[in-house]
Amino acid sequence: MLMSSQSPPLGRPDRRPQVRYSPALGKLICEKIAAGQSEASLGREPGMPSVQAIYKWREREPDFGAAYEGARDQARRARRTRDRAEDEDRRWRQALRPRKDGRRGRVSIYTDELGGVILRRIAGGETVLSIGADAEMPCAATIYHWIRADDGFHDAYLKAKAVAADIFADAMLEIALESTETTARADALRISTLRWTASMLAPKKYGARRPLPADEEDPDKPPWVVVVRKFGQTEDEALATIGRGPLAKADPEKERDWWSTP
């Protein structure tokens, strides 16, 4: 059996022709990489170098290496944009999907007017979950997404929550004034819940008071002395009663132990 002249001899692998680097070829490779083509698929094309050759060219040719990294960054950004678009399309499909009760979800696009309505309702004491349950409002997940994504809306949300803390404080007073013997136990739970919520939203105003940390004692700093001066008594005479001042005795009387003396 005769072998074709184009077939490789037995025992030797079919080696692809070696491709030499050129600026034009490097530019073409960067354009393909920026368009989203993978290195593996690029290496399988005729006239293109292998993946190993591309890595060697990146180390040997600084200009090509920099252009190649820029092309990869461009491809990554395009891929992230495409992924975000696909996620947005998926959210739209989920929103338009019929609910179990037969209704369709409402799709809302953020506007300043809609954001103002939501913030006013939050400032009035409503929760995001209760607003999201309203058929005329976006769902709670969408509202929380706006809070995380928009810094201005996030700051306004925090201010609205601080206003809600004042409403919770007024609600606690009304609940306490209208409480009866039969509702006292349930009212106590409502008041404690409102108190905790108000302390979390406005800790400086409604939070539990914490004692200030004591200053470290300075051995060189003289202790504080409180002197009670009687009417008509001079300052020196008042200081003399505690063993201080120019009128004090040379050997002042030992301080009395008020805790152990009967």
Side-chain angles (χ1 to χ4, degrees), residues 52-72:
Q52 293 79 6
I54 293 176
Y55 288 153
K56 291 180 181 179
W57 291 358
R58 289 168 53 189
E59 298 177 357
R60 190 179 60 189
E61 303 291 338
D63 295 339
F64 173 73
Y68 189 85
E69 291 298 328
R72 293 184 64 181

Side-chain angles (χ1 to χ4, degrees), residues 125-173:
E126 294 188 51
T127 63
V128 176
L129 295 178
S130 64
I131 297 174
D134 189 349
E136 300 296 331
M137 290 286 113
C139 64
T142 301
I143 298 175
Y144 282 125
H145 172 71
W146 292 347
I147 294 172
R148 293 191 301 268
D150 191 337
D151 294 338
F153 190 73
H154 178 266
D155 296 339
Y157 168 79
L158 296 180
K159 293 179 181 179
K161 279 294 189 180
V163 175
D166 296 335
I167 295 180
F168 294 153
D170 294 340
M172 283 187 285
L173 179 60

Side-chain angles (χ1 to χ4, degrees), residues 36-176:
Q37 188 173 355
S38 64
E39 298 170 344
S41 64
L42 182 64
R44 289 193 294 267
E45 292 185 0
M48 288 293 170
S50 62
V51 177
Q52 293 79 6
I54 293 176
Y55 288 153
K56 291 180 181 179
W57 291 358
R58 289 168 53 189
E59 298 177 357
R60 190 179 60 189
E61 303 291 338
D63 295 339
F64 173 73
Y68 189 85
E69 291 298 328
R72 293 184 64 181
D73 292 339
Q74 183 179 350
R76 281 193 291 265
R77 289 193 298 270
R79 185 166 56 252
R80 286 196 295 266
T81 303
R82 184 172 59 255
D83 293 342
R84 284 196 295 267
E86 292 177 356
D87 293 341
E88 185 68 21
D89 182 67
R90 185 174 63 254
R91 285 194 293 268
W92 276 82
R93 290 197 304 269
Q94 291 177 354
L96 294 174
R97 184 181 304 166
R99 298 180 179 176
K100 294 181 179 180
D101 54 3
R103 296 186 303 167
R104 288 181 177 269
R106 294 181 178 269
V107 180
S108 299
I109 303 299
Y110 174 79
T111 61
D112 293 340
E113 292 77 12
L114 180 59
V117 172
I118 294 173
L119 292 174
R120 285 191 292 271
R121 294 181 65 169
I122 292 175
E126 294 188 51
T127 63
V128 176
L129 295 178
S130 64
I131 297 174
D134 189 349
E136 300 296 331
M137 290 286 113
C139 64
T142 301
I143 298 175
Y144 282 125
H145 172 71
W146 292 347
I147 294 172
R148 293 191 301 268
D150 191 337
D151 294 338
F153 190 73
H154 178 266
D155 296 339
Y157 168 79
L158 296 180
K159 293 179 181 179
K161 279 294 189 180
V163 175
D166 296 335
I167 295 180
F168 294 153
D170 294 340
M172 283 187 285
L173 179 60
E174 292 184 358
I175 293 172

Side-chain angles (χ1 to χ4, degrees), residues 203-222:
K204 293 184 179 180
K205 195 172 185 180
Y206 299 109
R209 296 182 179 272
R210 297 180 177 85
L212 296 176
D215 297 335
E216 296 182 1
E217 297 184 359
D218 187 0
D220 299 332
K221 183 179 180 180

Side-chain angles (χ1 to χ4, degrees), residues 167-190:
I167 295 180
F168 294 153
D170 294 340
M172 283 187 285
L173 179 60
E174 292 184 358
I175 293 172
L177 293 176
E178 297 176 359
S179 180
T180 60
E181 293 183 0
T182 57
T183 63
R185 187 171 183 178
D187 292 340
L189 176 61
R190 295 172 61 191

